[in-house]
Structure formats: structure tokens, C-alpha cells
Amino acid sequence: MGPRQVGKTTLLQKMFQNNPDLFWLNGDELDVQNLFSTFSATRFKAILGSKKIVVIDEAQRIDSIGLRLKLIIDTIDGIQLIATGSSSF
């Protein structure tokens, strides 16, 4: 979490560049917001496939993101979850 335009997204993009285990979601996108509005762990696992690193950029844009993050961590073994945002969530 941090102020706008300080490089949170750029840093993560550089860190995980060309990583085949990465699944990137942008909370600014309506499709991503809709994915989480009807969230189920089973569906999310199917979307992830074999990916083990999930980045949710601009996570504060997703309603009830705290609960959704908890469900991901609680139900998907071996997942590394990174959520970024410029607002408290």
C-alpha cells in the first residue's frame, strides 16, 4: 500500500517479469471487479490453473476485497498473494 504514482505496479512488473507462475489482475478493470463480486474459491482455482503467484493491482477498487483475499489464502494451498493499492482496504 502506498501513495499514488510511486512505482508499486512498476516494481512488481520488474520483479515478476517473464515468470510463468504469475497471474496478474487489475482491480481497475470491470471484468476483474465482476469476477470478485461473484467469487467462489472453486471458480478462482479453475481460472488460476497451475499459477502460484497472484498479483491484484489496485485491489481497493474491488468490493469486500479483504474478505476475498482471506478466502483465497484460506482455500488455495501454496498460493502467494500480493495485493496493491493506493487506498486502505
Side-chain angles (χ1 to χ4, degrees):
M1 191 170 8
R4 293 181 41 76
Q5 302 295 311
V6 296
K8 296 179 298 292
T9 301
T10 302
L11 176 64
L12 288 172
Q13 288 171 336
K14 295 287 183 187
M15 285 176 59
F16 294 107
Q17 187 174 2
N18 301 320
N19 189 322
D21 287 330
L22 179 68
F23 190 75
W24 189 283
L25 296 168
N26 184 340
D28 283 334
E29 294 180 12
L30 187 56
D31 288 347
V32 172
Q33 293 172 16
N34 288 336
L35 169 68
F36 281 95
S37 70
T38 58
F39 182 82
S40 83
T42 303
R43 192 167 121 218
F44 199 70
K45 284 180 195 178
I47 292 168
L48 286 179
S50 63
K51 307 287 186 188
K52 290 296 180 183
I53 303 167
V54 177
V55 172
I56 305 172
D57 196 25
E58 299 296 344
Q60 80 278 359
R61 305 262 190 216
I62 300 169
D63 288 335
S64 302
I65 190 59
L67 177 59
R68 306 299 188 236
L69 296 175
K70 180 187 179 311
L71 288 172
I72 292 169
I73 293 298
D74 288 350
T75 59
I76 303 175
D77 291 332
I79 198 84
Q80 290 183 343
L81 182 61
I82 301 168
T84 73
S86 56
S87 301
S88 183
F89 54 88

